[in-house]
Amino acid sequence: MQRLPAGVPEEGRPFPWVLPRPSWATVLRLSQLLLFSIGVCCLIYCGQLCQKQLQLKPLEAHVAELQLNLTVPRKDPTLRWAAGPTLGRSFTHGPGLEKGQLYIHREGIYRLHIQVTLANCSSTYSTMQHRATVAVGICSPAAHSISLLRLPFGQGCTVASQRLTHLALGDVLCTNLTLPLRPSRNAEETFFGVQWVHP
């Protein structure tokens, strides 16, 4: 076989640095591969976009407005609460009631509010009334147990307050009134509630 001198191209390939022309079948396969890759990328992007849109949807409101459940005589300082259409304007949407205590089903920042008016309260206050308090706290689980509000009656017959606080999933809120004092049964004088405001 005879060698060609340097710089002389081989037969059939006039310039060795130029790649051979691809066949139509190769061009078609590469086009299909490119389209398939673009399709997979679009599916991944659309999936992530849909997840973000689902996360941005407004969350269901978690709110409760409760009235006293005085069907059971008070043997301890804990106030028991109830909700439902038979009790007028009380309701729960999200949080639940467990043995008269409010049970949290969604973690987040909540606005809690309470008002308690003493039954048979007079403007001439007694020593017991002067020392009486209403306390709201997380009573369960024990690891989260903490006092959230402590409201002294002082010389008045009514205490009321509200605050923002973080509550975790499974927290149970308890409210206590100094014994032997009794709260008013009037739903406009004594009520307790929470409203979820932020995750």
Side-chain angles (χ1 to χ4, degrees), residues 107-153:
E107 182 169 350
I109 306 291
Y110 284 80
R111 175 178 290 115
L112 78 89
H113 62 272
I114 188 166
Q115 177 176 305
V116 176
T117 300
L118 296 174
N120 305 322
C121 183
S122 68
S123 56
T124 58
Y125 65 95
S126 67
T127 305
M128 175 62 74
Q129 180 181 323
H130 179 68
R131 292 191 316 234
T133 61
V134 169
V136 180
I138 299 171
C139 57
S140 178
H144 292 185
S145 183
I146 188 171
S147 176
L148 300 173
L149 287 172
R150 182 170 296 282
L151 308 169
F153 281 92

Side-chain angles (χ1 to χ4, degrees), residues 24-99:
W24 281 110
T26 305
V27 170
L28 189 59
R29 279 190 217 115
L30 288 175
S31 299
Q32 289 174 339
L33 183 61
L34 181 64
L35 287 173
F36 178 76
S37 300
I38 290 171
V40 168
C41 290
C42 286
L43 285 175
I44 291 170
Y45 178 76
C46 289
Q48 290 175 345
L49 189 62
C50 287
Q51 282 181 339
K52 285 180 183 176
Q53 286 178 345
L54 287 175
Q55 290 171 353
L56 294 176
K57 281 186 179 177
L59 296 171
E60 178 185 327
H62 275 235
V63 63
E65 186 69 23
L66 309 172
Q67 295 178 352
L68 277 175
N69 178 4
L70 294 176
T71 57
V72 179
R74 288 187 68 213
K75 296 179 182 174
D76 61 32
T78 304
L79 296 177
R80 310 271 182 227
W81 301 96
T86 58
L87 297 173
R89 293 177 295 200
S90 63
F91 56 87
T92 58
H93 295 289
L97 282 169
E98 183 178 285
K99 298 179 183 173

